[in-house]
């Protein structure tokens, strides 16, 4: 956004599309009406329910939520120190400020009707970004971090819980409340894990497709995961 507001010449150099001939890609390859209608409907619902939820804020909050859920079961005292009371609002504020940084200072990302997804290269499908002027490494770092940390935290949690439960059973000791999980907690854990899995798919595919265009079904999967 700072390019658009403060560096008009650089913005025009990067994003001016006057040299592009749109007819080089047939209209039928650029029209994905059924998918567009589904995406529009879902987007309307999502934004009404989660406004102003952004991918960056949501995926960052997902990591924090994963840490919170794991600590609640494995280390309740640490969870209380980090998340009790107003501290929860502090974590959410950090997520929001981080998202605002991306909103104002990150490179622009443009939706492509050809591939039905978001790309940093606004001319994707027409010309390649040979010089890498539209590469944004910070985005890749963020998405790959989400893709690795999100399932990694839950796998570590599941493994730790399994080991503790097995140790308690072998010692003929009743499972205490800090380790045992109620049905409601299991369902909550499953819900958050599914959300994390979708973020992992989205983050992984989006990171890859900024450099290598994968199969269309993978791009559509990542788009709807987002």
């Amino acid at each position: 956004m700072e390019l658009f507001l403060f560096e008009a010449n650089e913005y025009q150099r990067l994003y001016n599309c006057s040299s592009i001939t749109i007819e080089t890609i047939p209209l039928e390859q650029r029209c994905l009406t059924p998918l567009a209608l589904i995406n529009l409907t879902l987007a309307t619902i999502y934004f009404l329910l989660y406004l102003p939820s952004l991918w960056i804020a949501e995926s960052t909050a997902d990591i924090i939520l994963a840490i919170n859920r794991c600590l609640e079961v494995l280390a309740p005292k640490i969870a209380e120190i980090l998340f009790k009371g107003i501290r929860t609002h502090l974590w959410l504020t950090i997520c929001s400020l981080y998202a605002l940084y991306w909103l104002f200072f990150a490179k622009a990302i443009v939706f492509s009707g050809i591939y039905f997804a978001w790309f940093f290269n606004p001319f994707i499908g027409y010309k390649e970004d040979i010089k890498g002027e539209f590469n944004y490494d910070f985005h890749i770092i963020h998405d790959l971090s989400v893709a690795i940390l999100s399932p990694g935290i839950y796998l570590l949690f599941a493994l730790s819980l399994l080991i503790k439960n097995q140790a308690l059973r072998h010692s003929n000791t009743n499972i205490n409340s800090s380790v045992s999980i109620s049905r409601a907690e299991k369902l909550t854990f499953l819900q958050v894990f599914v959300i994390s899995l979708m973020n992992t798919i989205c983050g992984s595919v989006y990171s890859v497709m900024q450099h290598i265009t994968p199969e269309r079904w993978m791009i559509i999967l990542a788009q709807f995961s987002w």
Side-chain angles (χ1 to χ4, degrees):
M1 182 175 288
E2 81 278 7
L3 283 180
F4 178 76
L5 294 175
F6 305 115
E7 299 183 41
N9 292 334
E10 181 67 6
Y11 180 86
Q12 286 295 326
R13 186 184 73 83
L14 290 173
Y15 297 103
N16 191 307
C17 58
S18 58
S19 62
I20 297 296
T21 303
I22 193 171
E23 288 80 11
T24 55
I25 295 181
L27 179 62
E28 56 270 17
Q29 294 184 23
R30 294 182 275 118
C31 291
L32 301 171
T33 304
L35 292 175
L37 290 175
I38 295 173
N39 196 55
L40 178 61
T41 302
L42 291 175
T44 301
I45 296 173
Y46 295 158
F47 280 110
L48 286 176
L49 292 176
Y50 297 106
L51 189 71
S53 176
L54 301 172
W55 159 250
I56 298 299
E58 187 275 332
S59 56
T60 305
D62 174 63
I63 298 298
I64 296 175
L65 178 60
I67 296 173
N68 171 261
R69 296 306 301 167
C70 293
L71 289 178
E72 285 286 348
V73 176
L74 296 178
K77 291 184 179 180
I78 297 178
E80 184 175 346
I81 293 173
L82 293 177
F83 296 101
K84 185 178 180 181
I86 197 173
R87 297 180 184 89
T88 300
H89 298 286
L90 177 61
W91 287 108
L92 293 176
T93 300
I94 292 174
C95 291
S96 299
L97 291 175
Y98 180 49
L100 286 175
Y101 169 82
W102 278 74
L103 176 64
F104 288 104
F105 299 106
K107 283 188 176 180
I109 189 167
V110 182
F111 186 82
S112 169
I114 300 172
Y115 293 106
F116 200 73
W118 298 83
F119 292 87
F120 285 101
N121 179 6
F123 310 114
I124 186 74
Y126 290 98
K127 65 178 183 180
E128 296 183 10
D129 181 22
I130 299 176
K131 297 181 180 180
E133 292 183 295
F134 298 104
N135 289 347
Y136 193 48
D137 293 337
F138 195 16
H139 171 266
I140 296 177
I141 292 172
H142 174 89
D143 278 8
L144 289 181
S145 297
V146 171
I148 294 172
L149 288 176
S150 189
I153 292 172
Y154 281 105
L155 289 175
L156 180 62
F157 164 77
L159 181 61
S160 300
L161 189 59
L162 178 63
I163 293 174
K164 284 191 174 184
N165 283 336
Q166 290 295 329
L168 288 172
R169 289 193 181 96
H170 290 160
S171 62
N172 295 321
T173 303
N174 291 328
I175 300 176
N176 59 47
S177 59
S178 65
V179 178
S180 61
I181 307 177
S182 66
R183 184 174 183 275
E185 288 175 324
K186 289 180 180 178
L187 291 176
T188 301
F189 175 84
L190 178 61
Q191 177 190 25
V192 177
F193 180 77
V194 170
I195 294 174
S196 299
L197 180 61
M198 295 177 68
N199 283 340
T200 297
I201 295 173
C202 180
S204 301
V205 177
Y206 257 88
S207 295
V208 171
M209 74 185 195
Q210 300 301 322
H211 301 277
I212 302 173
T213 305
E215 295 292 331
R216 182 180 292 273
W217 69 267
M218 294 181 64
I219 297 177
I220 294 175
L221 175 63
Q223 172 64 16
F224 281 106
S225 295
W226 179 83

